[in-house]
Amino acid sequence: MIMRKLLSSLSPSGGKARLSILFFHRALPEPDSLRPDEIDAQRFDQICGWLSQWFNVLPMHEAVARLQRGDLPARAMVITFDDGYADNHTVALPILQRHGLTATFYVATGFLDGGRMWNDSVVESIRLSTAPLIELAGTVAAPLGNLQLGDFSQRRSAISQVIQAIKYLEPCERLDWVSAITERAGAILPNDLMMSSGQVCALRDAGMQIGAHTVSHPILAKLTRNAAQREIADSKHSLEALLDEPVSLFAYPNGKLDEDYSAESVQIVREFGFSAAVSTAWGAARTADDIFQLPRFTPWDRGRLRFGIRLARNLINS
């Protein structure tokens, strides 16, 4: 009750309302020692329990429309997921349904039906390799040196080292580095990490909303205008063909202005007829904010009180 009152004072109804948008990527069936910060089923269930008590969780379309009209309810919130992982359907959906909540799922269409994102190729190569180290001498990834894989701590360190080193490389160059790592790791990588087309349809049929997240999850700010247009438009058109309905919501990959997407990216999203887009800038949206750069935030705290206070601080700082 105290938390609801605090959040109501910070996020009132009407013209002074603020819209909190949470974002997640995965809902793992079990905790992952290589990704200790990733949300798992038990943790997501706990979070959804808190959110259902504290907030009025709305579908993104409704929330954006009401934000613009100035008639949001107090403690308005939207839940979002990025990328299109299969556990969004198998794990997150049943939990959301159990708590009576809705969410929007932003899907990178190029990875549907057996695809795999480059960062997951890195993680799974390091996870599944049976070698004590991955030797990269003689490959394009040689600057990384040898990746030590003695224990979970070393594997986590290797994952962080690789991802930080190659995240902002040109796409073709990054793919070459990833290919070198996966080849030297000698592991058979999974092809069921991302959703199938049927699972995307099942989310929609369950009352969830589907948004576009480009085709290949590139750094839009580093693309030419034509390449960015293809990534944005093709993801929209692919989902519209799959769902047989308009797709008007978009999420910028990685989501940091100037670093990951640019003012030109925003212009392209507008030109292709989207109605709203989300970034990963912290904050809560106000009525006057740009609906094509809506902020998102997710507390990392594990305790109920600290989680709620972090949400309150995000509202205060918005």
Side-chain angles (χ1 to χ4, degrees), residues 108-172:
T109 55
F111 305 110
L112 293 177
D113 302 310
R116 187 174 54 249
M117 299 181 72
W118 70 265
N119 53 297
D120 289 311
S121 292
V122 171
V123 172
E124 298 307 319
S125 293
I126 292 172
R127 181 199 307 280
L128 298 172
S129 178
T130 59
L133 57 82
I134 298 177
E135 298 184 20
L136 296 173
T139 75
V140 294
L144 290 171
N146 293 331
L147 304 177
Q148 302 293 328
L149 308 182
D151 55 25
F152 281 119
S153 176
Q154 287 185 327
R155 291 179 190 247
R156 282 198 299 268
S157 178
I159 289 169
S160 177
Q161 175 190 351
V162 173
I163 289 178
Q164 289 180 18
I166 70 177
K167 183 174 183 178
Y168 288 99
L169 294 179
E170 294 298 328
C172 290

Side-chain angles (χ1 to χ4, degrees), residues 8-37:
S8 292
S9 68
L10 297 172
S11 180
S13 60
K16 294 184 178 180
R18 299 178 194 175
L19 175 63
S20 297
I21 306 175
L22 296 194
F23 73 101
F24 304 93
H25 292 90
R26 305 196 62 177
L28 302 172
E30 302 290 340
D32 184 351
S33 58
L34 288 184
R35 290 178 161 181
D37 296 328

Side-chain angles (χ1 to χ4, degrees), residues 182-225:
T182 58
E183 180 180 347
R184 289 295 177 91
I188 298 175
L189 304 185
N191 60 6
D192 60 352
L193 295 178
M194 312 306 287
M195 280 192 283
S196 67
S197 295
Q199 288 174 320
V200 176
C201 292
L203 284 177
R204 187 275 311 275
D205 293 343
M208 304 295 141
Q209 294 188 327
I210 306 299
H213 196 41
T214 71
V215 175
S216 65
H217 202 276
I219 305 298
L220 288 170
K222 294 177 69 70
L223 299 183
T224 66
R225 181 179 180 85

Side-chain angles (χ1 to χ4, degrees), residues 24-30 35 38-41 44 81-82 84-96 105 192-196 199 203:
F24 304 93
H25 292 90
R26 305 196 62 177
L28 302 172
E30 302 290 340
R35 290 178 161 181
E38 198 71 74
I39 296 291
D40 61 76
F44 187 59
F81 279 82
D82 286 5
Y85 284 97
D87 54 45
N88 292 184
H89 172 263
T90 58
V91 178
L93 176 60
I95 294 172
L96 289 164
F105 296 82
D192 60 352
L193 295 178
M194 312 306 287
M195 280 192 283
S196 67
Q199 288 174 320
L203 284 177

Side-chain angles (χ1 to χ4, degrees), residues 72 98 178 258 294 307:
L72 277 172
R98 185 160 62 249
V178 172
D258 295 330
L294 294 171
F307 189 93

